[in-house]
Amino acid sequence: MEGSVTVRMAAPADKIWNLITDITRTGEFSPEVFESEWLDGATGPALGAKFRGHVRRNEIGPVYWTTCKVTACEPGREFGFAVLAGDRALNNWHYRLEPSGDGTDVTESFWMPKSALMQVFRVFGGFLRERRNKRDMRTTLERIQKVVEND
């Protein structure tokens, strides 16, 4: 499963990147993640840094913590992380920022490792999760847009 959403923002890429990578503010933007915190002494984005997110699946539950590891970290250009089960990535989230005219095109994407189990999951309900993720990515980006365009 995978998907992406792009929103053009009337703000410079650095300003947007700083907001996206401040994971302590994720709860302001994400429909499902309502709080996040850096782990193991990390205080900000860096390759390999870990954080955890407190998730309320589908905005109603169940509620659980996820551990994430930063997989892409290029200021003003991209930020990505993997949601982990032990050392294995279950899901990957990524933001890419591309200057465009007087603003920035911000693309949020997700992808899950391909496997036979994932193909079965997609047929029996995973397509609903994919649709939900796309809707939530648009909501997240539009909430970020409101902040960066009104500061």
Side-chain angles (χ1 to χ4, degrees):
M1 284 193 328
E2 61 186 35
S4 67
V5 172
T6 301
V7 172
R8 177 164 290 162
M9 299 186 193
D14 287 342
K15 182 177 183 180
I16 300 163
W17 191 86
N18 289 335
L19 191 61
I20 289 169
T21 60
D22 182 356
I23 59 97
T24 65
R25 293 188 68 182
T26 301
E28 294 176 45
F29 310 117
S30 171
E32 291 189 337
V33 178
F34 59 92
E35 67 179 324
S36 296
E37 62 188 11
W38 292 107
L39 297 174
D40 305 327
T43 59
L47 279 177
K50 289 187 178 180
F51 63 94
R52 68 182 188 160
H54 211 174
V55 178
R56 182 176 295 113
R57 177 64 94 199
N58 298 321
E59 298 179 76
I60 56 173
V63 175
Y64 54 91
W65 286 97
T66 62
T67 299
C68 304
K69 182 177 180 180
V70 177
T71 57
C73 188
E74 185 180 341
R77 301 254 319 130
E78 67 178 324
F79 179 69
F81 58 91
V83 178
L84 303 175
D87 288 334
R88 190 172 55 107
L90 296 178
N91 199 350
N92 298 276
W93 295 90
H94 198 90
Y95 295 87
R96 178 166 295 284
L97 294 82
E98 306 254 347
S100 178
D102 62 349
T104 306
D105 286 340
V106 182
T107 301
E108 182 177 1
S109 60
F110 82 96
W111 68 93
M112 301 177 86
K114 295 183 182 345
S115 69
L117 181 60
M118 190 53 57
Q119 289 175 334
V120 171
F121 172 66
R122 186 166 192 321
V123 170
F124 293 102
F127 65 93
L128 295 172
R129 170 64 11 200
E130 186 175 294
R131 186 173 67 194
R132 174 70 193 225
N133 283 355
K134 288 177 183 176
R135 185 177 72 225
D136 285 357
M137 287 187 297
R138 178 159 307 282
T139 297
T140 296
L141 292 176
E142 288 173 349
R143 288 174 179 174
I144 290 169
Q145 180 182 35
K146 285 180 185 174
V147 171
V148 298
E149 289 183 355
N150 293 316
D151 272 354

